[in-house]
């Protein structure tokens, strides 16, 4: 008679939840299954009537495939949305796309090439619209591939007719409040993109500029006046020395600024009395390589006001003016002033009645009227200006100067300050904003009040960042000299050139844009936009021509709360959250705030959460030129989108986020551990029916209740972290639960009972109950981070699960917490660590093999001895040994434990592999211990 094969009688785990995830295949299949089942619609129905949580999407540009930074942003939003939904909130998400602006227009320019010059503005706009439409489809598919849930069938587009009309409606609120004006002042100007730039469209980068020291001689007409104010300079050949890093602005110089309170001195240098700030004289002398002796005269800067100096290149004067912005940090203390090329220069020029002189064309070329440099591009003019100064003996020194310089955010080329006629929103002046608290404030003061009193900033330093930016920003330049955007519905009088932008003009434009879109401004007769009987406020003329400027694209996206939140039934105004990168404190967060204050007197968000940007392991920014970029499409192809999602969740996103192939490899390792642990749990449930086999918690074995308590603690930490949008802490809690509490402990110590006890025994059903409850809870907890894996686990749980896990909510866990029990078992685990260390040493010494081959003798005294005595029956399970001897000493002694390990006594059971005193000899049970015989004798069914 053949011997039985006892391994076939063991309750080995089995499940369709595969060890290998195959996410590259499983993810598209899950997405298709959810779409076919109408998951998004079912989720809306399931959450209808629940408390609202509205995250308003900041629209990415529809101009190309997504990159890892775009994926990071969308996944973070999805983590928030999914975790709020699983917490029981109705959390609708309407994605959006920014369809206007330079990023798209420049791409279209390159595609059109030479054809563009033969196209009308309306033709160019149609080409831009087509380009944006193309990439909206591409980006939508890629976002959906990341398992980002949302109303992808109805995204908001800034180029939709109604949205364009809502932008102009928002502009109309500014106009009604008298906050919009047209003026000539210096703005950041990109000579490559040929347009003005807002503060948010400028980035600072290292740049090398020519640093020059230039001499301006005293004008003869001011000699007597200067001698009267500073007698020591009477009869002297006087000049002043300035320093600049923009030689190309010297042709536009009209003044030299001095600080009224600084001490200035004249030094005899090669027979000339050269004026510089006295404190800076030693540094200036060293820089220019000339000897400055003792001062021959001293004076305050105030004495130099109105003194004329001769321009070093042209036959005109440069006037001495005063400015508190002059510093002693660098230069000479005498500041070259060109009112058309700098903010301080402009204000000084206005104060002193100087011409706002800026003889530069849109592409950065000097106008034909500029002597010596006509037609030369500004940066190309630098060496030519230096040469002209040298030829006139006015250039004292030249060197390269490395510094942070403003660059265009789109083309990344250096920008210039250029005074042009633009439309602005006034930050100060009249208290035009009626705030929610009933107070009237200026736009700037209203923004500062809202930042401090009506918004929660996450992280908290976001408050200081945006507050300082709002406090120091200039008036908002809202006009752009491009084609693709929403036109400013302003007109100019053909008789006198006076510009007009009135509420009535805005209303006409809104009505037409609602029906025909913003292209109507370029295609329909101007008469349709003019109010009946309109005349010029300046001259009374009745003939007008339309202006061609479009609105700043930040005004477009900043109006999204008006164009979207009131327009979708499931959304609310204001939103609960805006979430974007930290650069948006000067961008979308700020423009949205300013628009909302003008339209409704309060901010459009209750919370603002920001994330950092991507860097590699060495702290370098992601850059194609450096070769350190991670392409999300490649990660998805190699490992799956859930690896990107898990990386996002595991990373502290409020700081700069490190990412590399090595980091992603570690993420994959954690994912495998998570999946394998989940798999062993669900595989142990193959014969468990929660409807009939559940053991009440109060009747479960303590080891199972302890595991549930550990799970409940981890789940509580995760739920708290989800509430606080602290996904890295949620991931850490998950990691500890899976690797320490479950894999290294619970799954290990319960393996014997799960495999070898009677299938329907109380101990096995108790453990299965715990595993089921934890699997059920884990599937829900994982759903925001790993939606496909979580639903895969959910579908393999025993019992009916016809709908995706995403329709469920987080499971309550408080009933599983048991502080007293946890304290007892934590103490037992400390003894287990000591036993494991002793076992490991004997294993290294080749005394034993696995722990079941060991006999363990534990001697304990004090409270720990009493505890071990209380749990004597559980200790073999806890230590995973066949034989245990416990010797308990005095109960009132100091806690102490000693462990001795030797080879186990007895014989090995062929089924459970424990060493027991004896095994059965009968043919039906040959080689089995009594416990295994009892397990096999259990009836298959009740």
């Amino acid at each position: 008679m053949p011997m039985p094969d006892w391994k076939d009688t063991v309750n080995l785990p089995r499940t369709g939840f595969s060890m290998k995830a195959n996410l590259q295949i499983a993810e598209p299949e899950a997405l298709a299954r959810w779409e076919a089942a109408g998951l998004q619609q079912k989720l809306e129905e399931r959450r209808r009537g629940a408390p609202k949580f509205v995250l308003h999407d900041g629209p990415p540009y529809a101009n190309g495939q997504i990159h890892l930074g775009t994926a990071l942003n969308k996944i973070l939003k999805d983590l928030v949305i999914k975790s709020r939904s699983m917490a029981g909130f109705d959390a609708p998400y309407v994605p959006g796309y920014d369809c206007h602006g330079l990023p798209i227009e420049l791409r279209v320019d390159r595609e059109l090439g030479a054809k563009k010059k033969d196209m009308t503005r309306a033709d160019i706009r149609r080409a831009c619209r087509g380009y944006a439409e193309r990439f909206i489809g591409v980006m939508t598919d890629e976002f959906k591939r990341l398992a980002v849930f949302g109303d992808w069938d109805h995204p908001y587009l800034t180029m939709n007719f109604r949205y364009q009309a809502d932008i102009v409606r928002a502009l109309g609120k500014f106009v009604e409040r008298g906050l919009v004006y047209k003026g000539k002042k210096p703005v950041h100007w990109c000579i490559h993109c040929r347009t003005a730039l807002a503060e948010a469209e400028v980035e600072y980068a290292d740049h090398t500029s020519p640093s020059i020291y230039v001499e301006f001689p005293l004008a003869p007409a001011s000699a007597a006046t200067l001698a009267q104010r500073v007698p020591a300079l009477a009869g002297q050949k006087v000049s002043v020395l300035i320093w600049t890093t923009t030689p190309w602005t010297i042709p536009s110089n009209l003044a030299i600024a001095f600080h009224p309170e600084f001490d200035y001195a004249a030094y005899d240098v090669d027979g000339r009395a050269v004026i510089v700030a006295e404190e800076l004289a030693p540094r200036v002398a060293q820089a220019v390589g000339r000897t400055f002796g003792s001062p021959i005269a001293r004076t305050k800067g105030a004495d130099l006001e109105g003194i004329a100096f001769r321009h070093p290149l042209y036959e005109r004067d440069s006037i001495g003016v005063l400015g508190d912005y002059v510093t002693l940090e660098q230069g000479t203390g005498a500041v070259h002033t060109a009112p058309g090329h700098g903010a301080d220069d402009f204000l000084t020029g206005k104060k002193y009645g100087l011409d706002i002189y800026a003889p530069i064309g849109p592409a950065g070329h000097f106008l034909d009227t500029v002597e010596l440099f006509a037609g030369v591009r500004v940066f190309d003019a630098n060496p030519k200006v230096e040469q002209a100064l040298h030829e006139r003996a006015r250039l004292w020194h030249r060197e390269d100067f490395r510094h942070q310089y403003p660059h265009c955010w789109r083309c990344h080329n250096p920008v210039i300050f250029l005074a042009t006629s633009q439309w602005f929103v006034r930050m100060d002046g009249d208290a035009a904003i009626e705030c929610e608290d009933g107070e009237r404030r200026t736009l700037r003061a209203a923004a500062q009040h809202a930042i401090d009193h009506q918004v929660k900033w996450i992280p908290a330093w976001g408050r200081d960042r945006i507050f300082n930016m709002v406090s120091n920003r200039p008036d908002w330049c809202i006009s752009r000299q491009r084609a693709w955007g929403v036109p400013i519905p302003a007109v100019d009088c053909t008789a006198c050139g006076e510009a007009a932008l009135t509420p009535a003009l805005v209303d006409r434009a809104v009505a037409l844009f609602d029906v025909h879109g913003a292209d109507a401004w370029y295609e329909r007769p101007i008469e349709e936009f003019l109010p009946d009987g309109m005349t010029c406020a300046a001259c009374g003329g009745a003939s007008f021509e339309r202006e061609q400027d479009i609105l700043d694209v930040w005004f477009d996206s900043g109006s999204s709360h008006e164009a979207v939140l009131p327009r979708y039934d499931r959304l609310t105004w204001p939103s609960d959250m805006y979430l974007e990168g930290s650069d948006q404190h000067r961008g979308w967060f700020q423009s949205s705030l300013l628009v909302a204050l003008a339209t409704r007197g309060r901010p459009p968000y209750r919370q603002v959460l920001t994330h950092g940007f991507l860097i590699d392991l060495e702290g370098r920014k992601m850059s194609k030129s450096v070769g350190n970029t991670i392409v999300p499409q490649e990660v998805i192809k190699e490992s799956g989108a859930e690896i990107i999602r898990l990386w996002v969740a595991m990373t502290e996103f409020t700081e700069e986020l490190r990412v590399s192939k090595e980091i992603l490899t570690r993420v994959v390792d954690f994912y495998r551990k998570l999946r394998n642990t989940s798999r062993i749990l669900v595989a142990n449930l193959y014969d468990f029916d929660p409807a009939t086999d559940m053991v009440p918690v109060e009747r479960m074995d303590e080891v199972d209740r302890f595991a549930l308590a550990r799970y409940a603690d981890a789940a509580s930490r995760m739920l708290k972290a989800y509430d606080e949008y602290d996904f890295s802490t949620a991931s850490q809690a998950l990691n500890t639960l899976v690797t320490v509490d479950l894999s290294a402990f619970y799954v290990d110590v319960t393996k014997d009972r799960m495999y070898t006890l009677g299938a329907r025994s109380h101990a096995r059903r108790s453990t299965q109950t715990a595993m089921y409850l934890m699997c059920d809870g884990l599937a829900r907890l994982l759903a925001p981070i790993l939606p496909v894996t979580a639903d895969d686990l959910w579908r393999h749980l025993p019992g009916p699960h016809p709908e995706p896990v995403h329709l469920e909510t987080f499971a309550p866990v408080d009933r599983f917490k048991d502080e007293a029990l946890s304290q007892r078992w934590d103490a037992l685990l400390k003894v287990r660590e000591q036993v494991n260390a002793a076992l490991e040493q004997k294993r290294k010494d080749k005394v034993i093999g696995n722990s079941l081959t060991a006999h363990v003798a534990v001697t304990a005294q004090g409270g720990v001895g009493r505890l071990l005595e209380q749990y004597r029956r559980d200790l073999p399970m806890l230590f995973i040994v066949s034989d245990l001897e416990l010797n308990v000493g005095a109960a009132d002694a100091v806690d102490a434990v000693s462990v001795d390990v030797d080879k186990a006594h007895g014989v090995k059971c062929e089924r459970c592999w424990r060493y027991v005193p004896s095994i059965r000899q009968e043919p039906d049970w040959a080689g089995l211990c009594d416990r295994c015989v009892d397990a096999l004798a259990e009836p298959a069914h009740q």
Side-chain angles (χ1 to χ4, degrees):
M1 180 177 179
M3 295 291 289
D5 191 351
W6 298 119
K7 73 174 184 295
D8 294 336
T9 70
V10 176
N11 307 312
L12 291 177
R14 65 197 77 159
T15 179
F17 186 74
S18 63
M19 181 180 295
K20 189 172 176 58
N22 290 316
L23 292 174
Q24 305 92 322
I25 298 172
E27 289 169 347
E29 289 178 349
L31 296 174
R33 184 172 65 250
W34 294 338
E35 187 165 358
L39 173 59
Q40 190 64 37
Q41 293 72 27
K42 289 181 178 179
L43 188 57
E44 292 177 11
E45 293 167 7
R46 185 72 64 91
R47 299 290 187 263
R48 185 171 288 119
K52 287 279 188 184
F53 181 90
V54 175
L55 184 153
H56 179 42
D57 189 32
Y61 283 109
N63 68 333
Q65 287 188 284
I66 67 171
H67 51 76
L68 193 59
T70 330
L72 159 69
N73 178 267
K74 269 292 189 286
I75 290 170
L76 277 175
K77 291 173 182 174
D78 193 56
L79 294 180
V80 172
I81 294 294
K82 282 190 171 78
S83 61
R84 293 291 80 201
S85 176
M86 294 295 293
F89 287 86
D90 181 8
Y93 177 61
V94 176
Y97 291 100
D98 205 342
C99 306
H100 296 139
L102 270 177
I104 292 169
E105 189 172 348
L106 292 177
R107 296 281 185 95
V108 171
D109 281 355
R110 286 197 288 271
E111 286 190 359
L112 293 175
K115 291 190 298 184
K116 182 182 177 182
K117 68 178 185 297
D118 298 323
M119 298 172 67
T120 66
R121 182 165 287 219
D123 290 335
I124 295 170
R125 289 171 60 84
R126 275 187 283 272
C128 291
R129 179 178 288 275
Y131 184 95
E133 287 172 344
R134 186 162 85 242
F135 279 103
I136 287 167
V138 170
M139 294 174 72
T140 293
D141 288 344
E142 292 184 328
F143 286 139
K144 290 168 73 173
R145 181 64 184 83
L146 292 171
V148 174
F149 289 2
D151 191 357
W152 292 107
D153 292 334
H154 307 97
Y156 78 84
L157 311 177
T158 61
M159 66 182 181
N160 281 351
F161 290 0
R162 189 175 66 183
Y163 192 113
Q164 291 177 329
D166 283 336
I167 292 171
V168 181
R169 282 190 182 92
L171 175 65
K173 295 295 185 180
F174 285 91
V175 174
E176 289 174 12
R177 299 179 188 279
L179 291 170
V180 180
Y181 68 95
K182 192 171 190 180
K184 185 178 182 182
K185 61 169 65 177
V187 295
H188 285 112
W189 183 274
C190 180
I191 63 176
H192 296 270
C193 300
R194 301 191 182 193
T195 186
L197 301 175
E199 291 291 314
E201 297 170 319
V202 174
E203 57 188 18
Y204 286 81
D206 285 341
H207 182 72
T208 300
S209 297
S211 163
I212 62 173
Y213 292 80
V214 181
E215 181 185 16
F216 284 63
L218 179 68
S222 286
T225 303
L226 181 61
Q228 185 178 9
R229 297 180 186 178
V230 189
L233 292 178
Q236 297 282 346
K237 191 175 182 181
V238 179
S239 63
V240 66
L241 197 64
I242 67 93
W243 171 80
T244 183
T245 58
T246 54
W248 64 267
T249 60
I250 291 291
S252 301
N253 175 279
L254 297 180
I256 300 168
F258 303 90
H259 194 289
E261 301 299 325
F262 288 173
D263 293 317
Y264 290 83
Y267 297 85
D268 186 352
V269 183
D270 300 331
R272 285 169 287 186
V274 179
I275 298 172
V276 296
E278 186 170 9
E279 185 176 318
L280 293 173
R283 274 191 275 166
V284 174
Q286 182 179 11
V288 301
R290 304 196 187 192
T291 301
F292 284 24
S294 299
I296 60 176
R298 289 186 173 90
T299 186
K300 290 290 187 183
D303 293 330
L304 299 173
E305 184 178 25
I307 300 299
F309 297 86
R310 295 298 287 170
H311 194 284
L313 296 178
Y314 304 127
E315 292 299 318
R316 67 172 188 255
D317 288 342
S318 294
I319 306 302
V321 296
L322 302 181
D324 291 336
Y325 53 85
V326 178
T327 73
L328 297 175
E329 293 178 3
Q330 54 192 164
T332 68
V335 176
H336 149 59
T337 300
H341 295 300
D344 292 329
D345 306 50
F346 169 78
L347 295 174
T348 298
K350 296 287 284 185
K351 175 182 175 182
Y352 285 92
L354 303 177
D355 182 20
I356 309 303
Y357 182 51
I360 308 293
H365 298 90
F366 280 101
L367 302 181
D368 292 341
T369 56
V370 179
E371 186 182 348
L372 302 177
F373 312 108
V376 180
R377 211 172 199 188
V378 289
F379 295 117
D380 297 334
N382 280 332
K384 297 180 183 297
V385 171
E386 295 170 29
Q387 180 62 29
L389 291 169
H390 177 73
E391 291 170 356
R392 290 159 179 76
R394 299 304 181 197
L395 181 64
W396 277 40
H397 180 67
R398 190 260 186 224
E399 64 185 14
D400 285 342
F401 181 71
R402 189 81 172 163
H403 61 143
Q404 289 281 297
Y405 189 84
H407 288 65
C408 174
W409 70 308
R410 179 48 48 191
C411 69
H412 306 297
N413 285 297
V415 302
I416 65 174
F417 259 105
L418 183 65
T420 59
S421 185
Q422 303 286 345
W423 288 98
F424 295 89
V425 166
R426 183 180 290 108
M427 294 296 297
D428 304 301
D430 295 337
I433 305 298
E434 184 173 343
C435 299
E436 203 172 44
D437 62 359
E439 293 291 322
R440 296 191 69 86
R441 297 180 174 90
T442 66
L443 185 55
R444 189 187 309 277
Q448 292 168 327
H449 179 267
I451 290 166
D452 268 352
H453 299 286
Q454 294 177 285
V455 182
K456 179 180 181 181
W457 302 94
I458 309 169
W461 54 255
R463 177 268 171 202
D464 293 342
R465 183 174 170 85
I466 191 169
F467 189 91
N468 292 335
M469 288 176 171
V470 166
S471 299
N472 297 316
R473 69 163 296 151
D475 286 352
W476 184 4
C477 177
I478 59 171
S479 49
R480 296 291 181 274
Q481 291 66 52
R482 300 298 303 192
W484 181 227
V486 175
I488 299 174
V491 296
D492 296 336
C493 174
T494 57
C496 70
E498 180 75 9
L501 179 58
T502 66
L505 279 167
V506 169
D507 290 344
R508 286 291 185 102
V510 166
L512 287 162
F513 289 2
D514 254 329
V515 177
H516 305 288
D519 287 354
W521 183 252
Y522 306 97
E523 297 179 322
R524 302 188 73 82
I526 190 173
E527 289 76 18
E528 293 186 21
F529 292 91
L530 299 177
D532 295 340
M534 178 176 175
T535 58
C536 175
C539 72
S543 176
F544 298 91
E545 60 184 6
R546 71 191 91 207
E547 291 197 0
Q548 299 297 310
D549 287 354
I550 62 171
L551 277 165
D552 173 16
V553 71
W554 291 109
F555 198 102
D556 288 18
S557 58
S559 303
S560 62
H561 55 85
E562 289 294 345
V564 177
L565 297 181
R567 300 290 192 182
Y568 286 76
D569 291 340
R570 296 184 65 220
L571 304 182
T572 57
W573 201 108
S575 69
D576 291 286
M577 175 177 283
Y578 275 32
L579 189 167
E580 300 297 333
S582 55
D583 60 333
Q584 296 306 316
H585 290 110
R586 64 173 181 161
W588 189 55
F589 299 154
Q590 193 175 145
S591 65
S592 298
L593 174 62
L594 298 180
V595 171
L597 290 170
T599 57
R600 301 186 186 231
R602 66 147 295 150
Y605 37 66
R606 296 185 177 94
Q607 302 174 84
V608 172
L609 189 153
T610 54
H611 62 80
F613 292 92
L614 303 180
I615 57 175
D616 65 13
L617 285 173
E618 284 74 44
R620 300 173 300 178
K621 283 187 176 182
M622 290 288 163
S623 168
K624 288 183 180 178
S625 61
V626 176
N628 61 352
T629 55
I630 301 290
V631 180
Q633 292 83 357
E634 293 178 1
V635 178
I636 292 171
K637 185 177 180 181
E638 182 177 334
S639 304
E642 300 227 313
I643 299 305
I644 303 177
R645 295 182 64 96
L646 186 55
W647 163 72
V648 172
M650 292 173 64
T651 307
E652 173 46 65
F653 66 83
T654 60
E655 304 168 353
E656 305 299 346
L657 290 86
R658 294 185 184 274
V659 62
S660 67
K661 290 182 179 179
E662 295 84 355
I663 289 174
L664 290 177
T665 298
R666 292 199 291 270
V667 174
V668 170
D669 290 342
F670 172 53
Y671 175 84
R672 286 176 179 153
K673 172 62 73 174
L674 173 62
R675 185 175 186 91
N676 288 341
T677 302
S678 300
R679 182 177 183 274
I680 193 63
L681 291 176
V682 74
N684 275 317
L685 301 176
Y686 70 91
D687 62 342
F688 179 79
D689 183 350
T692 58
D693 298 332
M694 292 275 283
V695 176
V697 173
E698 63 275 10
R699 291 185 52 230
M700 292 169 64
D701 289 354
E702 275 206 15
V703 66
D704 303 313
R705 285 162 47 205
F706 173 60
L708 279 177
R710 278 291 180 92
Y711 153 72
D713 288 341
S716 295
R717 290 197 301 275
M718 290 185 70
L719 294 173
K720 181 175 184 292
Y722 277 143
D723 280 344
E724 297 172 352
Y725 319 115
D726 185 0
F727 304 116
S728 64
T729 294
S731 299
Q732 289 167 10
L734 176 64
N735 191 2
T736 301
L737 173 66
V738 168
T739 59
V740 178
D741 298 327
L742 295 180
S743 180
F745 169 66
Y746 187 59
V747 169
D748 206 24
V749 302
T750 58
K751 187 178 295 183
D752 177 59
R753 63 167 56 190
M754 290 304 301
Y755 289 10
T756 67
L757 294 190
R760 306 192 72 260
S761 65
H762 173 83
R764 189 165 179 274
R765 288 301 194 218
S766 174
T767 297
Q768 284 183 311
T769 298
M771 288 183 173
Y772 174 81
L773 291 170
M774 288 189 286
C775 273
D776 177 274
L778 271 175
R780 300 165 193 255
L781 288 168
L782 288 174
I785 300 173
L786 300 171
V788 174
T789 300
D791 195 50
D792 193 11
L793 176 61
W794 180 256
R795 292 190 308 127
H796 284 92
L797 284 176
H801 294 87
E803 299 287 8
V805 68
H806 307 290
L807 297 178
E808 304 298 324
T809 56
F810 292 131
V813 295
D814 286 349
R815 68 190 179 108
F816 303 138
K817 294 181 179 180
D818 190 327
E819 188 63 30
L821 180 144
S822 294
Q823 288 178 359
R824 294 195 301 273
W825 278 81
D826 284 341
L828 290 172
L829 288 185
K830 290 181 180 179
V831 178
R832 182 175 189 264
E833 291 176 4
Q834 193 171 342
V835 171
N836 283 345
L839 289 169
E840 182 60 27
Q841 185 58 53
K842 291 296 183 180
R843 190 176 293 115
K844 288 180 180 179
D845 295 341
K846 310 295 186 183
V847 174
I848 63 171
N850 64 48
S851 60
L852 287 176
T853 64
H855 167 82
V856 174
V858 177
T859 302
Q861 63 182 29
V864 68
R866 293 196 305 272
L867 180 68
L868 291 173
E869 180 63 48
Q870 179 183 347
Y871 285 91
R872 179 186 289 268
R873 290 183 58 189
D874 292 316
L875 296 182
M877 171 204 64
L878 184 62
F879 303 148
I880 316 178
V881 295
S882 295
D883 188 21
L884 182 122
E885 177 185 340
L886 177 63
N887 303 300
V888 179
D892 56 354
V894 176
D895 281 5
V897 176
S898 63
V899 179
D900 289 318
V901 175
D902 204 348
K903 291 187 68 172
H905 310 302
V907 290
K908 181 180 178 180
C909 173
E910 295 180 13
R911 182 171 179 272
C912 68
W913 294 3
R914 293 181 308 132
Y915 282 78
V916 294
S918 63
I919 55 175
R920 302 287 281 268
Q921 302 300 319
E922 310 91 302
D924 287 348
W925 310 114
L928 299 189
C929 67
D930 290 343
R931 194 188 74 175
C932 283
V933 170
D934 290 342
L936 293 176
E938 177 188 88
H941 303 284
Q942 272 190 332

